[in-house]
Amino acid sequence: MRDPRQRIEFRLNGAAVAVQTEPACRLADLLRDELDLTGTKIGCNAGDCGACTVLLDGEQVCACLVPAAQLVGRSVTTVEGLAGRGELVALQRAFHRHGAAQCGICTPGMLMAASDLLARETRPSEAMVLDALGGVLCRCTGYRKIVEAVLDVAGTDAAPIPDSGAAVGARIAKLDGIAKLTGAERYGADAAPADALWLRAVRSPHASATFTIGDLAPLRAKYPGLVKILTAADIPGANSFGIYPDIKDQPVLAAGFVRFRGEAVLALVGDAATIETLTDGEIPIAWQVREPVIGIEAALAPGAPALHEAHQDNILITGRVRSGDVEAALAGSAAVVGGDFTTGFVEHAYIEPEAGYARRVGDRIEIFACTQTPYMDRDEIARVLGLAPEVVRIIPSAVGGGFGGKLDLSLQPLIASAAWLLDQPVRCVYTRPESMASTTKRHPARIRARIGADAEGRLTALDFQADFNTGAYASWGPTVANRVPVHASGPYVVKAVRAEGRAIYTNETPAGAFRGFGVPQAVIATETLLDELAERLGIDALELRHRNAIRAGDRTASGQVIAASAGLAACLEALRSRWHHARAIAEDANRAGGVIRRGVGIAAMWYGIGNTSLSNPSTMRVGIDRQGRVTLYSGAVDIGQGSNTIMAQICADALGIPVGALALVTGDTDLTPDAGKTSASRQTFVSGAAAKAAGEDLRRQILARAGAGATARLVVGDGRLVVHDGGAVREIDLAALPASNESGDVLTGSGHFDPPTTPLDADGQGVPYASYAFAAQLAEIEIDTRLGTVKVLRVTAAHDVGRAINPIQVEGQIHGGVAQGIGLALMEEYLPGRTENLHDYLIPTIGDVPDIECLLIEDPEPLGPYGAKGIGEPALIPTAPAILNAIHHATGARIRRVPATPDRVRAALKAAGYD
Ligand code: FES
Ligand code: FES
């Protein structure tokens, strides 16, 4: 047969190259697979995300859309070609100092798009930047720091890394940030052993069906490159997994029946060409399709088929909080408002689809993949393989965004099973449609609520019922059902509360963890109703919130007394003048009439940091070796939020050395202790406290050896550890000490922290969280009443973070959270079976995210490291209801279903009397 490949010559990063490839080969694949330039990322392979952006003859193009044939005689520049002689160029340095790269998966594309612009315009305007970068999606940063970086490309370089004791609170650029700017960072799809086989899951096209797999022998005969067809019967241990120890309800591979469209039924393992060529239609699977249970209402209808034997009513779990006599309190209220609210599935849309490889190493197995929770993965994979946890090693790749979606297993049990059985490395990279079809989403919610207040606006009662569609499997459904009732009454003192949350099984895509665990949905209902209540009572909406804000010493609906660090009132005070000013400007503008109207809305939130009423520990270790190298061993996975830098800042100050002198080993379960999951906004608070304790522990040991006092100064480096204590100088002879661990450290400090909580009783009474974050946000919007389109003009976000360990990272989290809140409010809805890629799932682009002003309130948390709490999820939670309240301010229309797409906005406007 004629070789379809051709010789193609072009210039790549300034040098001539010649490749032998098929003319239709995508440039992105050519760069990554043939030329080993993995700095160019693939997020969609469809021209939607821009992650693959490179320069072709100096102009930005999507490398996934350019066939190799078009390269002949032309010039390609990738991110690897940006930095000259190992030095970062000015644009990369600007990204670094502004914190413009969080997870970094979009960063190469952003840099290339910006390079194209800057080659034409050395001093571009913001509008030019928005235009030039408009084709590259970022899910983490909210874009603002990227825009700042491009506009400040000629700015001065970052301040030097601070000295001992000055790291906490400093605006330090990411300590691990350079690799994200050069393309050197290794994400799940960027590395695999050369002899790795490929794995592709074959997934159900039906939401509910039984099936039988026919004779596979002809397929094996037809495709010699097909090494194994993995079915449920092949799974070495338990063919099930799940988040909770007592709920392992999701099979690795379906065994005879499927519960959602996209569920894996078998996996093909073989060489890349075979796996790609073999179509699903060739696989002998006989389906008997059943009527699926779609939506909460259908699942709860009398006689609805049960998805799981143990839950005949399809109710996975019910969580509740009850305090006081709600009916009596509502009856005695001066005003009561209520309503029904609906939210849809929301896709995480991290730009990195799931990817990784597994390899067997003797009697052990190693898995390199993107994850937010290495130790939980380790234990789950051990179950699936029927092995002891200690023989499983998880090596987290860099994570190209998670937001909760990479807390659940995805490809890990498949590649691990295949690699274990075949004793050969196996890799897998999900396509974007596969990622969307098979991985968890934000729970759709159906919420009914009533809130009452007395004539002064003091909240009297809340009656709240929320049902969450957990899809086919439990995943984090119990977490959502239990967390939401605790949070339902919001950051307010409410005397009587009846709040219930249920997780409901359906034949839809499993819903799991997504930034806020159901609280963002709940807050859409309650914060909208609070606005109505304020209006009904004739009280300013900010003032009503301020009047009811939980303060230190107040008791929550769960009966917990908040001892300290309750900064909502301070957040609202910080917003007060801006609120009145912005409202007045909007009202002035609206007096002129016309179809465009302006509005300003406010919403507040609280958020319990860490697991709800469950042990939630983290352990950190820091060691110093004979060469005087100090290393922090952190199992806290950094998914872009910056925890690697945060942990180092905290540990370095506790130990008393410059943060720049601290090396990091992260994530690997063989090398780092268990720091728990990167979820529930817990790493700064929980792992940060453990990192502080570890630093203090090592310092104690060093001072004891030196016989030095508590204020002594440590100097490390050049193979020495010197202790300066007043006038005395003592050197510890590190070379004389025996190694205390396999890493070669001779002195090791360790720290452990488990936030003090108690279980909740049947009425949800107890101490569910040791600490809470508080926030309030203002959204200023403009709405076209004719079209129903809403543009967010500005968001002001006041967040009580306890202590901002690194303000750049905190601001980055707020920006990214606000951007996701805009998506939740206005545009994002995943439709199972219909949404396939990023062209039919719209997330905010650079043009959709306005100026975001961050007001950091530091009401110190006594339990937190240097007073710090968490920010990841709180950043998103108030944004959507603030926007919905702004729409009401602008037009008088109330939106009770999100996303508020133009058709829904138009319907609400019509109901409010607009034409
Ligand atoms: S990978 Fe090319 S645009 Fe998404
Ligand atoms: S930093 Fe842009 S997608 Fe993560």
Side-chain angles (χ1 to χ4, degrees):
M1 207 168 74
R2 197 174 136 260
D3 185 353
R5 295 177 305 162
Q6 291 178 9
R7 182 180 167 86
I8 292 175
E9 296 180 11
F10 62 105
R11 292 189 73 76
L12 177 61
N13 295 331
V17 292
V19 291
Q20 197 73 18
T21 191
E22 292 187 27
C25 176
R26 297 166 188 256
L27 172 56
D29 293 334
L30 184 65
L31 291 168
R32 292 177 55 83
D33 301 341
E34 306 291 326
L35 298 161
D36 202 24
L37 294 179
T38 54
T40 298
K41 307 302 179 190
I42 296 178
C44 67
N45 232 3
D48 300 320
C49 74
C52 63
T53 300
V54 298
L55 302 184
L56 183 59
D57 292 339
E59 284 187 19
Q60 59 168 308
V61 293
C62 288
C64 71
L65 297 183
V66 176
Q70 286 186 9
L71 301 178
V72 177
R74 301 177 76 182
S75 171
V76 174
T77 309
T78 70
V79 70
E80 290 90 347
L82 269 190
R85 293 190 220 94
E87 291 280 305
L88 298 187
V89 295
L91 179 63
Q92 290 166 311
R93 295 200 302 275
F95 266 56
H96 192 45
R97 69 175 173 272
H98 282 274
Q102 287 191 20
C103 81
I105 194 83
C106 72
T107 306
M110 287 289 182
L111 288 168
M112 301 319 293
S115 300
D116 175 11
L117 169 67
L118 293 168
R120 291 179 276 112
E121 287 285 344
T122 50
R123 296 173 66 86
S125 65
E126 179 164 340
M128 289 173 180
V129 176
L130 299 187
D131 191 43
L133 274 58
V136 188
L137 295 176
C138 175
R139 190 58 156 166
C140 302
T141 64
Y143 303 101
R144 297 311 304 170
K145 288 189 181 290
I146 294 171
V147 176
E148 283 171 22
V150 179
L151 292 174
D152 184 41
V153 66
T156 45
D157 277 342
I161 290 184
D163 209 343
S164 304
V168 167
R171 299 180 72 89
I172 297 173
K174 276 192 170 173
L175 298 172
D176 58 346
I178 301 297
K180 298 176 198 296
L181 303 165
T182 59
E185 191 77 293
R186 289 284 183 263
Y187 298 84
D190 293 340
D195 60 341
L197 296 167
W198 282 82
L199 179 146
R200 179 169 74 79
V202 174
R203 299 183 177 280
S204 169
H206 307 293
S208 178
T210 57
F211 68 92
T212 48
I213 299 173
D215 183 7
L216 297 171
L219 211 56
R220 291 196 185 96
K222 181 177 173 187
Y223 292 101
L226 186 60
V227 177
K228 180 145 190 79
I229 302 172
L230 198 68
T231 67
D234 295 313
I235 301 301
N239 181 27
S240 64
F241 64 94
I243 300 302
Y244 281 77
D246 57 335
I247 314 176
K248 304 292 180 193
D249 63 357
Q250 183 160 3
V252 175
L253 288 166
F257 57 98
V258 291
R259 296 187 177 94
F260 75 99
R261 192 180 190 272
E263 183 158 1
V265 295
L266 55 78
L268 308 171
V269 187
D271 63 52
T274 300
I275 296 309
E276 215 168 282
T277 311
L278 203 162
T279 63
D280 287 8
E282 295 178 84
I283 302 165
I285 303 177
W287 296 98
Q288 294 82 46
V289 179
R290 296 171 169 179
E291 189 62 35
V293 176
I294 302 296
I296 292 169
E297 208 167 319
L300 296 177
L307 269 87
H308 295 269
E309 182 97 24
H311 301 275
Q312 288 299 314
D313 55 4
N314 288 324
I315 300 173
L316 163 63
I317 195 167
T318 303
R320 49 178 71 85
V321 167
R322 280 188 291 233
S323 69
D325 184 339
V326 170
E327 290 305 332
L330 286 173
S333 298
V336 176
V337 295
D340 293 341
F341 297 81
T342 310
T343 73
F345 281 106
V346 184
E347 158 68 28
H348 298 85
Y350 27 73
I351 303 301
E352 179 207 26
E354 294 73 6
Y357 73 84
R359 71 171 164 199
R360 185 171 180 165
V361 183
D363 287 336
R364 302 194 75 210
I365 184 108
E366 290 181 359
I367 296 154
F368 171 89
C370 48
T371 179
Q372 296 180 231
T373 176
Y375 269 88
M376 208 161 81
D377 287 2
R378 184 194 72 156
D379 295 353
E380 286 293 272
I381 294 302
R383 269 189 82 252
V384 167
L385 297 186
L387 301 172
E390 297 72 39
V391 304
V392 179
R393 180 181 188 181
I394 304 293
I395 306 169
S397 66
V399 181
F403 319 114
K406 290 173 182 169
L407 285 166
D408 293 69
L409 291 177
S410 55
L411 46 76
Q412 296 96 329
L414 295 171
I415 55 176
S417 296
W420 184 256
L421 293 169
L422 296 169
D423 196 8
Q424 190 173 347
V426 175
R427 69 183 303 193
C428 176
V429 178
Y430 277 8
T431 62
R432 176 62 59 178
E434 181 176 27
S435 173
M436 283 194 159
S438 64
T439 63
T440 60
K441 311 285 169 252
R442 181 183 295 289
H443 287 74
R446 193 181 72 168
I447 298 171
R448 171 165 291 179
R450 289 182 296 159
I451 305 180
D454 65 19
E456 280 74 49
R458 303 263 174 214
L459 298 176
T460 52
L462 167 75
D463 185 19
F464 177 96
Q465 167 71 46
D467 286 334
F468 293 95
N469 181 348
T470 205
Y473 297 107
S475 181
W476 294 85
T479 308
V480 168
N482 286 317
R483 179 177 278 269
V484 166
V486 173
H487 287 79
S489 49
Y492 311 111
V493 177
V494 188
K495 292 191 186 72
V497 172
R498 179 171 58 210
E500 190 174 276
R502 301 190 295 184
I504 314 292
Y505 283 123
T506 66
N507 284 123
E508 293 176 271
T509 318
F514 189 170
R515 214 167 184 171
F517 288 112
V519 177
Q521 297 95 304
V523 167
I524 283 171
T526 52
E527 286 292 313
T528 303
L529 290 177
L530 270 194
D531 248 37
E532 288 190 42
L533 198 55
E535 199 174 22
R536 186 80 63 86
L537 291 165
I539 298 174
D540 174 80
L542 182 148
E543 179 52 35
L544 182 105
R545 290 171 169 84
H546 191 269
R547 210 166 278 179
N548 290 285
I550 288 175
R551 292 164 169 84
D554 284 337
R555 188 176 292 273
T556 70
S558 290
Q560 178 181 2
V561 174
I562 303 291
S565 193
L568 177 61
C571 290
L572 291 166
E573 283 302 343
L575 293 174
R576 195 185 286 273
S577 63
R578 290 168 174 82
W579 163 250
H580 290 302
H581 184 65
R583 294 274 280 198
I585 288 179
E587 283 157 19
D588 267 0
N590 292 342
R591 268 183 216 109
V595 295
I596 306 292
R597 296 188 65 83
R598 289 183 72 152
V600 184
I602 187 168
M605 73 101 232
W606 66 333
Y607 195 76
I609 304 299
N611 294 353
T612 310
S613 286
L614 291 172
S615 175
N616 191 17
S618 177
T619 302
M620 289 272 164
R621 199 171 70 231
V622 58
I624 181 163
D625 67 11
R626 291 199 178 102
Q627 286 72 44
R629 288 183 299 235
V630 187
T631 304
L632 174 63
Y633 302 90
S634 164
V637 175
D638 192 331
I639 57 173
Q641 83 281 26
S643 58
N644 285 346
T645 305
I646 299 288
M647 295 305 135
Q649 286 178 262
I650 291 170
C651 184
D653 274 13
L655 176 55
I657 63 167
V659 64
L662 196 61
L664 270 172
V665 170
T666 59
D668 186 327
T669 54
D670 269 14
L671 304 178
T672 64
D674 186 0
K677 304 175 284 291
T678 294
S679 74
S681 304
R682 61 180 288 285
Q683 291 298 19
T684 297
F685 176 59
V686 182
S687 291
K692 180 167 182 275
E696 289 167 345
D697 183 31
L698 181 55
R699 180 175 176 83
R700 247 188 321 270
Q701 294 177 46
I702 292 169
L703 297 185
R705 278 185 180 275
T711 57
R713 190 165 58 85
L714 310 187
V715 177
V716 289
D718 300 331
R720 301 177 67 199
L721 170 58
V722 181
V723 182
H724 297 257
D725 187 21
V729 179
R730 301 186 186 96
E731 179 164 355
I732 293 177
D733 185 1
L734 295 169
L737 297 176
S740 64
N741 60 22
E742 284 176 7
S743 310
D745 295 320
V746 292
L747 292 172
T748 303
S750 88
H752 182 82
F753 181 63
D754 192 358
T757 62
T758 68
L760 297 177
D761 67 14
D763 286 333
Q765 299 298 297
V767 178
Y769 309 100
S771 179
Y772 295 82
F774 293 84
Q777 293 182 1
L778 302 185
E780 299 169 46
I781 63 107
E782 197 168 76
I783 178 166
D784 184 323
T785 55
R786 217 177 17 193
L787 301 175
T789 50
V790 177
K791 182 162 180 57
V792 183
L793 302 174
R794 183 180 176 80
V795 171
T796 311
H799 283 260
D800 168 22
V801 297
R803 175 86 190 272
I805 301 291
N806 185 329
I808 298 181
Q809 312 293 350
V810 174
E811 291 159 6
Q813 286 301 294
I814 293 173
H815 290 180
V818 166
Q820 290 186 1
I822 292 171
L824 173 65
L826 298 178
M827 63 187 80
E828 295 187 35
E829 186 161 23
Y830 170 87
L831 303 171
R834 281 168 57 189
T835 310
E836 287 205 323
N837 212 323
L838 292 167
H839 50 258
D840 51 19
Y841 186 82
L842 302 183
I843 65 172
T845 67
I846 201 167
D848 293 315
V849 182
D851 258 353
I852 301 166
E853 184 182 7
C854 301
L855 306 174
L856 303 187
I857 306 299
E858 297 185 304
D859 187 344
E861 165 54 59
L863 290 170
Y866 300 100
K869 302 192 278 193
I871 181 63
E873 288 151 301
L876 171 146
I877 294 169
T879 309
I883 291 170
L884 299 183
N885 288 335
I887 292 173
H888 175 72
H889 180 230
T891 64
R894 280 286 176 204
I895 307 282
R896 298 211 188 276
R897 180 172 182 189
V898 295
T901 46
D903 55 320
R904 290 175 186 159
V905 172
R906 275 294 302 154
L909 288 169
K910 273 195 160 177
Y914 285 76
D915 287 340

